[in-house]
Amino acid sequence: MVGAASVGIGLTTVPQAVASETCTSTTGARVCFETYGDHFFVYDTSEDGHRAAVKYYWDGSGGNYYCEKTDGAGGTPKDCNRDLPENVRVYFRADVCEGPCNREGAVVRTSAWDDALNVN
């Protein structure tokens, strides 16, 4: 029989990366950041006609960035798959907006800032 004898030849076990998720929320929006893969998940948690969004930046980014869920409450979250630098601290918050969140005065409610070390 062949098979079992070939298992140990030159094979090494590499541990799988583990995703770490950090979340923050305010009435009407919940945002989770998954460090492995650089994903923000934006949940619209209220049928109020407003947009749910994540506002984020990282050390050295030089500005703020947004990703919005525009299709209303319920359903699946908006998956904002980003390509962020590795080994930087990412700061983010959940926003509820009247129209596009990057517009002056559009933010209706916001959560506190949260952060996570992006290590993927």
Side-chain angles (χ1 to χ4, degrees), residues 60-116:
S61 66
N64 294 307
Y65 299 87
Y66 297 87
C67 182
E68 303 178 15
K69 183 174 184 331
T70 59
D71 61 353
T76 59
K78 169 81 177 208
D79 180 357
C80 307
N81 186 0
R82 302 299 189 236
D83 185 17
L84 304 176
E86 294 180 22
N87 300 312
V88 297
R89 187 148 300 276
V90 178
Y91 303 88
F92 60 96
R93 71 181 195 192
D95 284 351
V96 174
C97 305
E98 180 66 41
C101 290
N102 63 353
R103 219 181 60 226
E104 186 69 33
V107 176
V108 176
R109 281 182 302 282
T110 187
S111 70
W113 287 96
D114 208 336
D115 65 275

Side-chain angles (χ1 to χ4, degrees), residues 1-110:
M1 266 186 142
V2 183
S6 64
V7 172
I9 301 174
L11 298 178
T12 330
T13 304
V14 177
Q16 292 291 322
V18 177
S20 171
E21 187 175 77
T22 304
C23 301
T24 187
S25 62
T26 186
T27 302
R30 176 175 170 80
V31 171
C32 295
F33 177 58
E34 192 172 283
T35 59
Y36 184 75
D38 305 341
H39 290 265
F40 288 100
F41 295 97
V42 180
Y43 300 83
D44 187 336
T45 60
S46 181
E47 293 280 353
D48 58 8
H50 293 100
R51 296 179 182 196
V54 59
K55 180 177 184 176
Y56 65 97
Y57 69 96
W58 60 91
D59 290 336
S61 66
N64 294 307
Y65 299 87
Y66 297 87
C67 182
E68 303 178 15
K69 183 174 184 331
T70 59
D71 61 353
T76 59
K78 169 81 177 208
D79 180 357
C80 307
N81 186 0
R82 302 299 189 236
D83 185 17
L84 304 176
E86 294 180 22
N87 300 312
V88 297
R89 187 148 300 276
V90 178
Y91 303 88
F92 60 96
R93 71 181 195 192
D95 284 351
V96 174
C97 305
E98 180 66 41
C101 290
N102 63 353
R103 219 181 60 226
E104 186 69 33
V107 176
V108 176
R109 281 182 302 282
T110 187

